[in-house]
Amino acid sequence: RRQLFQPFVSSLDAKSRYSSSSRLLATSDESSGDSEEESQFDVEAARKKLESMLLPNDNDDTDNSNITTTDDNNDSSSQSDFLASLLSSKEPENVELPPTPPLSTIERDRKVAEMRLLSGLADGEEAVKDLWALWYSERGGPAKALLEQADDLMGNPQKWDDCEAILMSLVDEHGIYFVEPLNRLATLYFLQSEFEKSYRLCLTILKIKPWHFGALSGIVPVCVGRGDKDAARYWAEKRLPSFVAGTSFPPFAKDGPENPRRQEWVDQQVATAEKLMEKAEKATKRSFGKKDSYHDDNEESGRLLEDEDGGSWQ
């Protein structure tokens, strides 16, 4: 199964692709007891909450598409509302994303770099590794180190609970727009044959990053696991085409004529990324509202309001 799912779980061999000596979360059996009690993040409560949202009650005939949680610890944020809707809806494909966070200068530069690397996929496979590195680093070194640790744990079924705890804590801290923890969770749930959970997380990733070739590849066997062959064929057509023509499945050939579908895929995804960034920029401008006016509408244009003493605001 890991070989079949390799494009989606490719970071399971993170040691060969990412070198990081730092590990921020101890997972030894000796220290787990005390640390869990002292931790502010309640892993068990988060797991139960996630499972309750992921798998709606089949006996409930009500429409759960607009459900919001009422937990005392719920911050009522739009992203929490979105996850509740996505993971409990009977039509997860139709659940809309929450508003994107304001686009900072750093985030904009990161998106520009991502589009540049996407364009590089038309020239070969080197950009694949660069994009993985970028996605892992989107929230800085500490988050990246935790993702790499989760990858290490994912290879050991006895450590899957620890792996899930790390990934859920990252989602809890950074939200859904840091998609790599969602991607690793989807991978973990696939390995555990929790196909419905994995599928819904894949949908989220691909709404945020339609060009995420890991999720595009992974959602295909997830759909097969769900018994939905039509959906599997649909998503198979959207995967990143091989660079060399005539090789549709790994291991891909390294030599031969270039696949024209690769360039078409790249052009389409770069255009999608540009549109999404333009949308984010417009949303950021709207979030700041209208410019403040320091002029009296009843006075002639350009004249500052004066206080009672005849002085002007400085």
Side-chain angles (χ1 to χ4, degrees):
R1 177 176 290 182
R2 289 177 60 187
Q3 291 178 348
L4 171 65
F5 216 57
Q6 192 61 25
F8 190 47
V9 296
S10 56
S11 55
L12 288 177
D13 62 349
K15 291 182 178 179
S16 63
R17 196 176 308 144
Y18 307 103
S19 59
S20 175
S21 59
S22 61
R23 287 293 180 265
L24 301 185
L25 183 63
T27 58
S28 66
D29 295 335
E30 296 179 355
S31 61
S32 60
D34 295 338
S35 61
E36 288 179 359
E37 294 179 358
E38 297 173 358
S39 173
Q40 295 181 354
F41 182 74
D42 191 336
V43 174
E44 185 61 27
R47 180 184 294 113
K48 290 180 179 179
K49 184 177 179 181
L50 180 62
E51 290 178 351
S52 68
M53 292 188 298
L54 281 167
L55 301 175
N57 187 352
D58 293 336
N59 296 324
D60 186 0
D61 294 332
T62 60
D63 183 4
N64 294 325
S65 60
N66 294 316
I67 287 178
T68 55
T69 58
T70 56
D71 188 275
D72 292 339
N73 296 324
N74 180 31
D75 61 4
S76 299
S77 68
S78 59
Q79 295 196 26
S80 296
D81 293 343
F82 165 77
L83 280 178
S85 296
L86 170 80
L87 301 178
S88 62
S89 174
K90 295 179 180 178
E91 296 181 352
E93 296 87 352
N94 298 328
V95 178
E96 295 184 0
L97 291 173
T100 57
L103 189 63
S104 65
T105 300
I106 293 177
E107 184 65 20
R108 188 185 188 282
D109 290 344
R110 186 182 294 117
K111 289 182 180 295
V112 170
E114 185 172 13
M115 286 187 287
R116 188 180 302 116
L117 291 175
L118 273 175
S119 298
L121 289 173
D123 301 323
E125 303 297 340
E126 187 63 29
V128 171
K129 294 185 292 184
D130 294 336
L131 279 165
W132 276 121
L134 177 67
W135 293 337
Y136 266 59
S137 304
E138 283 185 326
R139 293 300 181 270
K144 176 186 176 183
L146 286 174
L147 282 170
E148 291 173 341
Q149 184 181 1
D151 283 339
D152 292 341
L153 296 174
M154 199 177 297
N156 181 359
Q158 295 181 351
K159 294 293 185 179
W160 279 352
D161 286 346
D162 295 329
C163 176
E164 183 185 24
I166 293 173
L167 295 172
M168 287 197 300
S169 70
L170 286 169
V171 175
D172 185 70
E173 179 178 357
H174 298 288
I176 66 168
Y177 282 94
F178 180 30
V179 303
E180 211 49 46
L182 296 181
N183 187 43
R184 311 320 301 150
L185 268 175
T187 303
L188 178 64
Y189 292 145
F190 172 83
L191 294 174
Q192 295 173 335
S193 297
E194 297 281 357
F195 301 121
E196 187 62 32
K197 293 181 182 180
S198 183
Y199 175 70
R200 290 169 182 254
L201 291 174
C202 286
L203 289 179
T204 306
I205 298 161
L206 294 172
K207 285 186 177 183
I208 297 172
K209 291 185 186 289
W211 52 87
H212 196 293
F213 44 77
L216 282 171
S217 179
I219 197 173
V220 176
V222 168
C223 290
V224 173
R226 295 175 72 236
D228 192 344
K229 295 182 179 180
D230 290 338
R233 284 190 289 266
Y234 170 83
W235 287 110
E237 290 296 320
K238 294 183 175 294
R239 292 177 299 184
L240 173 66
S242 61
F243 183 70
V244 177
T247 55
S248 300
F249 301 97
F252 298 121
K254 296 182 179 179
D255 299 315
E258 293 184 9
N259 186 351
R261 293 184 59 244
R262 177 72 163 239
Q263 183 67 62
E264 295 173 3
W265 187 94
V266 169
D267 291 342
Q268 179 182 357
Q269 298 298 347
V270 170
T272 299
E274 290 174 345
K275 290 179 181 179
L276 288 178
M277 189 172 76
E278 181 180 355
K279 182 179 179 181
E281 288 176 333
K282 291 181 179 179
T284 299
K285 290 180 180 179
R286 288 195 300 269
S287 70
F288 285 105
K290 296 180 179 180
K291 292 180 62 177
D292 293 330
S293 175
Y294 298 98
H295 297 84
D296 188 348
D297 293 338
N298 297 322
E299 299 293 337
E300 59 183 82
S301 178
R303 182 176 178 182
L304 292 173
L305 288 172
E306 296 181 350
D307 61 20
E308 295 179 356
D309 296 328
S312 300
W313 290 98
Q314 301 298 318

